[in-house]
Structure formats: structure tokens, C-alpha cells
């Protein structure tokens, strides 16, 4: 099968579920030790936090990255909120209430240190009839967005669709979709839907004629007759998008709007029929012109200072038939972001092998390379793997390997020898964060006999990295070590290299192997001894031409406490972090439990290269001053050899 295997292979159909036994949920349910109960009092306090400053796409030597108002290189890490936007029980929004959004935002900040979400909205939610923009729907979305911006979390707004619309599907269908409203589908006059022999929901994109014709009509802006008159399908979408963006812009306070990083115009575009063209030709003929029209709508709606996060043909990086990836559209530039997804279609279907060190480096480097060619920044807005069902036992290390490859495109076993070859740190949002995981009640395709309660309640998916108990307390379902990671959230200058050893276990609930992937070479025995059986990260960066207006910041995982974190490098070498000084600890905006490391070099000349080794030393023997000094000498020699001034 073609890349039916990419996004589509992340969801198994009921027919497949009948033959593949679901893995027991033990270990996938919340870990009590990771539970974060968010009280109304805490929510009130943290909601008053100042939202983050605007981001721009800016040059970095031979690539483009995100930079904040202080010129720092920003790495965005977070989650999609959420697949619940596909559900009518949620009124086509990520959350059923602003209070639920606040609980999720608080738990996300506390449990993972996330600084961005991809916030899903629905065309059907915005425009339930040809002449109606549902401002109440948009107002609820705005309040939910503010629950995140008020906690220091940036927001990417996403117009989500899968298989075009739920209204294409019969009540008895195995599958469903989301996106376009009923009035668009009714006016289209599409044939009876049928996927044929499909084991994966995404195969509908290739074999379901109703889905394919609807997509083809959208890209060709077919004229349809509605009770309010004739309109082009794409024209209708762009009109409501402009109205929605205008309303969101008007309703969001200025500081909250500053924390919105941009708009994703269309989730996972697929062609609906190439008609003899290649995928690259289709992107140039249909997809890019649509994005240019959406870009114009953003400008008119007051979003001119924010980029459009544009996705290529959904199958572009599967290696199968429909190649795409914008190689024929020319440079995108700073007003666009190259926005890709990544799912391991092979391991979701026919490849039984586990993930390992460096297994996803080539895939993430392809995203880096494509963005560089397009003269813009890259963003991975979806990635992940299922948390129940056949193959879910491999999920913890698959997700670990994806994060590793986004940190650096070089395998851990080679990183110390070739750190500069790892490329830029990739920003991303994992699929996904569902407050209601396993506790849904969704009537599928308007059929009261098909009420979905398990997992994500949509096409048999189960991807949420969190779940809540009956009291509403949220906890991670994956090993928290995978999700709560050391990462360079804002670097004063240019990141030259970064890697992190998370020591995440291969199983659930504390089970499975624990194996280091970021192997320190024997030529650095003192560093090797310091980090043995410990989580640690290494950041190398270059001072900017002008004196930085803010320090370099790294998010610290919860296990990196003030008393037990060691820092080694030219900025500072010490065990234990004070509240001030060249290496200091501070709370994350919007959280009282999550922390960040602040590195402030003193009097460094422009272009100076710094290296910092950050070690979580809560376990093992006490760190001694002599051990730190010896490790610092090795790190300095390594830096001069690998990054000569």
C-alpha cells in the first residue's frame, strides 16, 4: 500500500482491532506519582502571568530559526490540543470549558515544561451555515487560548481536517472525518462513501471516491449552490477564515495575541486526484496558490506579522508514490514556516523492530534540509505513536527516538565526535494532549448505536500522552522522562549543537530497559564518570554580535532540582543552582513547580563560543569540586577541538 502508511497508519480500523488484541491499559493509565492536581486558586494565580513575547522567523547563518523580542533563538516544544476538536461531544473545540483548558494548560506547564500548543479549530464550528459565522464558538476558542497564553505557552492555531468532513460518512461506516460543514457536503452531491477493503482510516484518501471528490472540489474551487446562493468551495473557506481571524484578533488582548505564533491553514493536505500530475506539480498548481490566498487573508485580518505554517502534500516524506515537499515552489521566506508531520508508517504496520539510538535522524534531517532550501524555519506539528493496541509496547522508545532526532540529527553514539553535524534543534508539538482520554462519549457519524468512549473516541485512535482520573487530576501515560525534557527554550545567540540523554525506560509504569544513547567517548573519562547513570544535556552556542538583552534559558526537567543540578562549562562550573549569578535557577512562567536554568556569560565578546554540560545529579555519589574541575577541563578541550574560534 502506498503511504497509506504515513499519517493514515497511525490509526487502526475496527476491522484491524478485531484481529489485533488490544494491549492491556496497565501502565498506560496515569502514574500516581506523576499526578498534578490543579486547584482553582493555583489557576487564578498563574493565569495572571505575562504571556510570552512575539516570535519571528529570522536568519541564522545558513538556516532560519525562531527568535524572540530579545533576538534569542527559541525552541518550541509542546503538544496538540487536541483530537477532541474532531468530536461533537466537545462542540468541535479542544475543551468543553475554559476551566478544562486551564487545568490542561497548568498540568502541561507543570508536568512537561511545554512552551507551545497547536490549538485545533474546525471549519464546521466556525461556519455552521453559509451565512453564519459562529462568534460564540470563536469566543469560547479565544478563552481557551488565553488559558495557555496566560501561562507562558505560545499558541499555533490550526484549521484541522481529516478525510474532509464527517458528513461524507454513513451512519454505519467504519470511519469518520472532520472539517467541512454539512452544507458544503450536501451541496457537493457526492457518491455513497466506501473505502473498500481498508484496514487504516487514511486509505480513504486513496480509495473512497466521496472523500477524493470532495478534496478535488476544494482545490479546484468548484462552484456549489447553497440556500444563500452560489459560491466557490475554497472561496467560502477563505472568507470564513478571514472572518474568524479578524474576530480572534479583536477578542484577544494585545499581550495574548503576541503569544500566538501563527496559523496552520490546512491540516494534512491531500490531492483528491493528481490527474496525471506529480505531487510536486500538484503542490505548485493547487496547494501553494491556496496558501498564498490564505496568507493574504491573514494580512487583511491583522495577522501580517505572523507566519503561515504551511504543510506540504501529506505523503511527501513517506518514500512512496506521491512525492512532494515544495521543491518546485521556490523560496518560502520568513512569512511562511515549513510545517511537517512525522509518523513511522513502517513500525505502525509491518516493521516489528523497536526504535533505537539514531533511528529517526535521517527523517528529521530531511525536514531540516527542506526548510533550509525553502529559506524558512522548520516545525514538526505532529508526531507520536499509539499508546494501546498492537505495537504500542514499542511506543516509549519510538517517541524517545523522535525527540532525540529533533534535538540533533546525529546518533548519540556519534554525537561527541560530530556535534556540529546535528543541525538546528527542531521545534515541535506532539500528537496529542487529551484531557478526556478514555472517558469520551462520542456518537460516531450521528449513529446512537455507535457511541465511542475509549482512547481518543475517533477512528480507534489512542494517542494522548495524558489522562485524568475521576477527580480531574492529570498525569502522564508515557514515562515522564520522555516528555519532561531538558531543551534550550531561548538561547542568546546561535545554537551550534545540542543533545540530551533522558534515560527513559522502554516500557510503561517504570518497567522496561534503561539504556543511555548519548555515549561519552573514552577520551573524556571525567565527563563519562560524572554523567554515568544520570540524565544530562550539552548545549554549545555562539554569542550574538550585539550584547544579549536576556540570558540563555533551558527548561529543566523536574528531576533537575536546584540542589542536585550540576553545571559544567565556561559560563559557570558548580553543583547546586542559586537564584542569581551566571548559572541560576528560576521558575517557569505560569508554574510554581517547573524550573528553567538561566546562563548569563559575563563580558563575553561577540562571537564567543560557550559550552555547558547540565547534569541531574540527584542519584549516585555526591559530586565533588575536583570532579567538576576535571570535567570542565575536558569540556573546554572538546569545545576548542570541535568548535574552534
Amino acid at each position: 500500500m502506498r503511504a497509506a502508511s504515513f499519517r493514515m497508519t497511525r490509526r487502526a480500523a475496527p476491522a484491524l482491532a478485531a484481529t489485533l488484541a488490544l494491549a492491556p491499559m496497565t501502565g498506560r493509565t496515569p502514574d500516581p506519582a506523576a499526578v498534578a492536581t490543579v486547584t482553582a486558586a493555583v489557576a487564578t494565580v498563574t493565569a495572571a502571568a505575562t504571556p510570552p513575547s512575539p516570535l519571528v522567523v529570522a536568519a541564522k547563518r545558513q538556516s532560519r530559526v525562531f527568535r524572540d523580542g530579545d533576538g534569542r533563538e527559541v525552541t518550541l516544544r509542546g503538544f496538540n490540543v487536541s483530537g477532541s476538536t474532531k468530536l461533537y461531544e466537545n462542540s468541535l473545540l479542544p475543551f468543553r470549558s475554559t476551566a478544562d483548558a486551564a487545568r490542561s494548560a497548568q498540568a502541561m506547564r507543570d508536568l512537561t515544561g511545554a512552551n507551545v500548543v497547536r490549538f485545533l479549530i474546525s471549519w464546521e464550528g466556525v461556519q455552521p451555515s453559509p451565512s453564519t459565522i459562529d462568534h460564540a464558538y470563536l469566543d469560547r476558542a479565544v478563552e481557551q487560548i488565553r488559558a495557555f497564553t496566560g501561562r507562558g505557552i505560545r499558541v499555533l492555531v490550526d484549521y484541522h481536517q481529516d478525510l474532509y468532513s464527517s458528513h461524507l460518512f454513513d451512519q454505519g461506516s467504519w470511519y469518520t472525518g472532520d472539517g467541512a460543514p454539512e452544507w458544503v457536503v450536501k451541496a457537493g452531491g457526492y457518491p455513497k462513501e466506501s473505502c473498500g477493503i481498508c484496514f487504516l482510516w487514511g486509505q480513504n484518501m486513496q480509495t473512497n471516491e466521496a472523500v477524493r471528490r470532495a478534496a478535488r472540489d476544494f482545490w479546484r474551487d468548484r462552484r456549489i449552490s447553497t440556500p444563500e446562493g452560489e459560491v466557490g468551495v475554497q472561496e467560502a473557506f477563505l472568507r470564513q477564515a478571514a472572518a474568524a481571524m479578524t474576530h480572534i484578533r479583536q477578542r484577544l488582548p494585545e499581550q495574548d495575541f503576541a503569544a500566538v505564533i501563527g496559523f496552520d491553514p490546512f491540516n494534512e493536505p491531500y490531492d483528491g486526484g493528481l490527474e496525471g500530475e506529480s505531487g510536486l506539480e500538484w503542490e505548485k498548481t493547487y496547494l501553494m496558490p491556496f496558501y498564498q490566498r490564505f496568507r493574504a487573508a491573514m494580512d487583511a485580518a491583522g495577522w501580517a506579522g505572523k507566519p503561515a505554517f504551511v504543510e506540504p502534500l501529506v505523503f511527501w516524506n513517506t518514500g512512496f508514490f506521491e512525492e512532494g515537499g515544495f521543491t518546485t515552489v521556490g523560496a518560502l521566506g520568513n512569512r511562511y514556516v515549513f510545517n511537517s508531520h512525522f509518523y513511522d508508517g513502517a513500525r505502525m504496520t509491518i516493521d516489528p523492530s523497536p526504535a533505537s539510538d539514531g533511528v529517526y535522524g535521517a527523517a528529521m534531517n530531511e525536514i531540516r534540509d527542506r526548510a533550509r532550501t525553502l529559506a524558512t524555519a522548520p516545525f514538526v506539528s505532529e508526531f507520536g505513536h499509539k499508546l494501546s493496541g498492537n505495537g504500542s509496547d514499542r511506543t516509549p522508545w519510538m517517541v524517545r527516538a523522535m525527540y532525540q532526532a529533533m534535538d540533533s540529527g546525529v546518533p548519540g553514539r556519534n554525537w561527541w565526535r560530530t556535534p556540529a553535524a546535528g543541525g538546528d534543534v527542531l521545534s515541535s508539538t506532539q500528537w496529542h494532549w487529551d484531557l478526556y482520554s478514555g472517558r469520551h462519549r462520542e456518537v460516531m457519524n450521528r449513529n446512537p448505536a455507535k457511541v465511542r468512549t475509549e482512547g481518543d473516541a475517533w477512528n480507534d485512535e489512542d494517542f494522548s500522552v495524558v489522562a485524568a482520573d475521576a477527580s480531574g487530576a492529570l498525569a502522564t501515560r508515557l514515562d515522564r522522562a520522555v516528555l519532561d525534557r531538558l531543551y534550550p527554550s531561548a538561547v542568546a545567540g546561535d545554537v551550534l549543537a545540542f543533545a540530551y540523554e533522558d534515560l527513559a525506560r522502554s516500557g510503561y509504569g517504570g518497567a522496561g530497559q534503561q539504556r543511555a544513547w548519548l555515549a561519552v567517548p573514552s577520551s573524556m573519562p571525567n565527563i563519562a564518570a560524572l554523567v554515568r547513570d544520570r540524565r544530562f544535556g550539552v548545549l554549545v552556542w555562539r554569542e550574538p554580535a550585539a550584547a544579549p538583552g536576556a540570558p540563555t534559558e533551558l527548561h529543566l526537567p523536574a528531576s533537575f532540582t536546584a540542589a542536585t543540578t550540576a553545571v559544567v562549562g565556561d559560563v559557570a562550573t558548580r553543583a547546586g543552582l542559586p537564584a542569581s549569578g551566571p548559572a541560576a535557577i528560576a521558575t517557569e512562567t505560569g508554574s510554581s513547580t517547573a524550573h528553567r536554568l538561566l546562563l548569563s556569560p559575563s563580558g563575553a565578546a561577540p562571537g564567543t563560543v560557550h559550552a555547558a554540560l547540565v547534569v541531574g545529579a540527584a542519584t549516585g555519589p555526591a559530586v565533588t569540586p575536583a570532579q567538576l574541575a576535571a570535567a570542565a577541563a575536558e569540556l573546554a578541550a572538546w569545545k576548542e577541538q570541535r568548535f574552534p574560534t
Side-chain angles (χ1 to χ4, degrees):
M1 80 185 71
R2 53 193 314 176
S5 339
F6 166 51
R7 160 79 174 214
M8 58 185 65
T9 56
R10 78 183 173 107
R11 296 100 173 205
L16 201 57
T19 57
L20 300 176
L22 290 176
M25 288 300 290
T26 302
R28 277 70 160 176
T29 51
D31 179 355
V35 170
T37 303
V38 184
T39 65
V42 171
T44 301
V45 171
T46 55
T50 302
S53 65
L55 291 185
V56 296
V57 176
K60 175 190 171 182
R61 301 210 168 202
Q62 296 181 353
S63 62
R64 305 287 174 98
V65 296
F66 298 109
R67 293 198 186 275
D68 65 11
D70 292 303
R72 296 180 297 179
E73 181 178 341
V74 170
T75 299
L76 301 167
R77 290 289 172 85
F79 302 90
N80 281 263
V81 292
S82 77
S84 289
T85 296
K86 305 176 186 183
L87 307 181
Y88 291 97
E89 67 166 343
N90 268 40
S91 302
L92 305 177
L93 282 169
F95 304 100
R96 297 168 193 166
S97 67
T98 303
D100 281 355
R103 283 197 299 125
S104 261
Q106 191 66 60
M108 187 183 295
R109 199 65 160 135
D110 293 344
L111 290 173
T112 73
N115 64 357
V116 70
V117 293
R118 183 171 179 245
F119 187 96
L120 279 59
I121 64 171
S122 166
W123 179 8
E124 182 176 2
V126 175
Q127 192 180 23
S129 76
S131 59
T132 303
I133 298 297
D134 190 340
H135 294 107
Y137 171 87
L138 291 170
D139 287 341
R140 291 194 296 274
V142 164
E143 289 308 307
Q144 293 181 18
I145 287 171
R146 293 191 67 194
F148 289 89
T149 58
R151 288 166 174 80
I153 299 175
R154 291 183 168 92
V155 174
L156 169 64
V157 187
D158 163 52
Y159 261 117
H160 211 79
Q161 72 79 39
D162 296 279
L163 306 184
Y164 197 72
S165 173
S166 71
H167 298 285
L168 288 170
F169 292 86
D170 300 327
Q171 281 196 338
S173 178
W174 285 0
Y175 305 105
T176 190
D178 66 282
E182 183 178 18
W183 61 268
V184 171
V185 173
K186 280 187 174 181
Y190 299 112
K192 180 177 174 59
E193 64 88 12
S194 174
C195 193
I197 303 175
C198 290
F199 297 107
L200 305 162
W201 72 259
Q203 290 175 258
N204 282 274
M205 286 184 262
Q206 302 301 324
T207 63
N208 189 327
E209 192 57 26
V211 172
R212 290 172 62 76
R213 285 195 192 180
R216 191 160 55 243
D217 285 353
F218 181 87
W219 300 118
R220 286 155 181 77
D221 197 22
R222 175 192 166 191
R223 305 295 293 179
I224 58 173
S225 295
T226 77
E228 281 77 18
E230 188 178 273
V231 66
V233 180
Q234 189 177 124
E235 174 192 351
F237 176 86
L238 290 168
R239 284 181 180 176
Q240 64 81 34
M245 287 188 286
T246 298
H247 190 79
I248 292 171
R249 174 70 185 91
Q250 291 172 345
R251 291 304 177 98
L252 275 176
E254 192 65 39
Q255 62 179 8
D256 294 275
F257 186 65
V260 176
I261 63 173
F263 220 115
D264 185 341
F266 198 96
N267 176 70
E268 294 184 352
Y270 59 97
D271 52 84
L274 292 173
E275 299 179 349
E277 293 184 326
S278 68
L280 294 173
E281 291 169 331
W282 180 84
E283 286 181 336
K284 185 175 183 179
T285 304
Y286 296 104
L287 186 57
M288 200 61 213
F290 163 72
Y291 286 146
Q292 290 166 343
R293 296 181 191 113
F294 195 95
R295 173 73 267 178
M298 289 178 67
D299 295 348
W303 294 60
K306 302 181 186 296
F309 284 64
V310 296
E311 301 183 37
L313 182 67
V314 65
F315 305 114
W316 83 276
N317 56 353
T318 62
F320 288 84
F321 300 100
E322 293 186 354
E323 298 296 334
F326 296 143
T327 59
T328 60
V329 303
L332 294 178
N334 295 350
R335 283 165 51 78
Y336 296 88
V337 168
F338 180 63
N339 176 12
S340 180
H341 294 180
F342 176 74
Y343 293 99
D344 187 344
R347 283 186 175 83
M348 290 177 171
T349 50
I350 59 175
D351 181 358
S353 66
S356 58
D357 173 35
V359 72
Y360 296 126
M364 296 303 174
N365 283 338
E366 186 177 21
I367 294 172
R368 290 181 175 97
D369 293 343
R370 190 55 53 87
R372 188 179 303 112
T373 300
L374 292 167
T376 191
F379 191 86
V380 185
S381 61
E382 284 191 31
F383 67 97
H385 196 67
K386 57 188 175 182
L387 273 80
S388 65
N390 185 60
S392 62
D393 57 313
R394 296 175 296 166
T395 296
W397 272 13
M398 286 178 64
V399 174
R400 178 192 185 190
M402 291 175 192
Y403 274 113
Q404 181 203 39
M406 289 186 288
D407 288 343
S408 172
V410 175
R413 61 185 176 273
N414 299 329
W415 186 85
W416 289 94
R417 290 189 291 274
T418 58
D424 294 330
V425 183
L426 290 176
S427 293
S428 63
T429 48
Q430 187 175 346
W431 186 269
H432 70 129
W433 183 285
D434 179 11
L435 174 69
Y436 315 107
S437 175
R439 306 177 69 85
H440 290 282
R441 189 166 181 81
E442 173 71 2
V443 180
M444 182 179 178
N445 292 327
R446 299 155 294 280
N447 184 347
K450 296 185 74 172
V451 178
R452 296 294 179 248
T453 60
E454 296 182 354
D456 301 340
W458 193 87
N459 284 352
D460 288 340
E461 287 196 333
D462 183 16
F463 275 65
S464 178
V465 301
V466 294
D469 63 20
S471 71
L474 274 171
T476 61
R477 299 170 68 201
L478 276 178
D479 185 350
R480 190 171 171 186
V482 176
L483 304 174
D484 186 19
R485 307 179 63 79
L486 186 79
Y487 69 93
S489 52
V491 174
D494 291 347
V495 176
L496 302 182
F498 174 72
Y500 175 54
E501 175 52 67
D502 57 35
L503 285 181
R505 291 192 175 275
S506 61
Y508 294 86
Q513 303 177 51
Q514 191 175 43
R515 183 182 304 159
W517 287 352
L518 185 56
V520 182
S522 59
S523 59
M524 306 170 74
N526 293 294
I527 290 179
L530 177 61
V531 304
R532 184 174 296 119
D533 299 326
R534 289 168 168 159
R535 298 184 178 103
F536 70 95
V538 187
L539 174 67
V540 184
W541 75 104
R542 178 184 287 112
E543 283 278 324
T552 286
E553 300 183 11
L554 295 93
H555 169 69
L556 289 173
S559 59
F560 287 58
T561 67
T564 63
T565 299
V567 176
V568 173
D570 58 287
V571 175
T573 296
R574 61 172 300 133
L577 297 176
S580 62
I585 193 169
T587 56
E588 291 281 14
T589 301
S591 176
S592 60
T593 60
H595 292 88
R596 54 194 162 137
L597 170 64
L598 310 180
L599 296 174
S600 305
S602 177
T608 298
V609 174
H610 304 287
L613 169 67
V614 186
V615 185
T619 59
V623 175
T624 66
Q627 188 178 26
L628 290 175
E634 283 183 352
L635 187 68
W638 172 82
K639 181 189 72 173
E640 289 303 320
Q641 182 182 23
R642 302 302 178 190
F643 301 92
T645 54

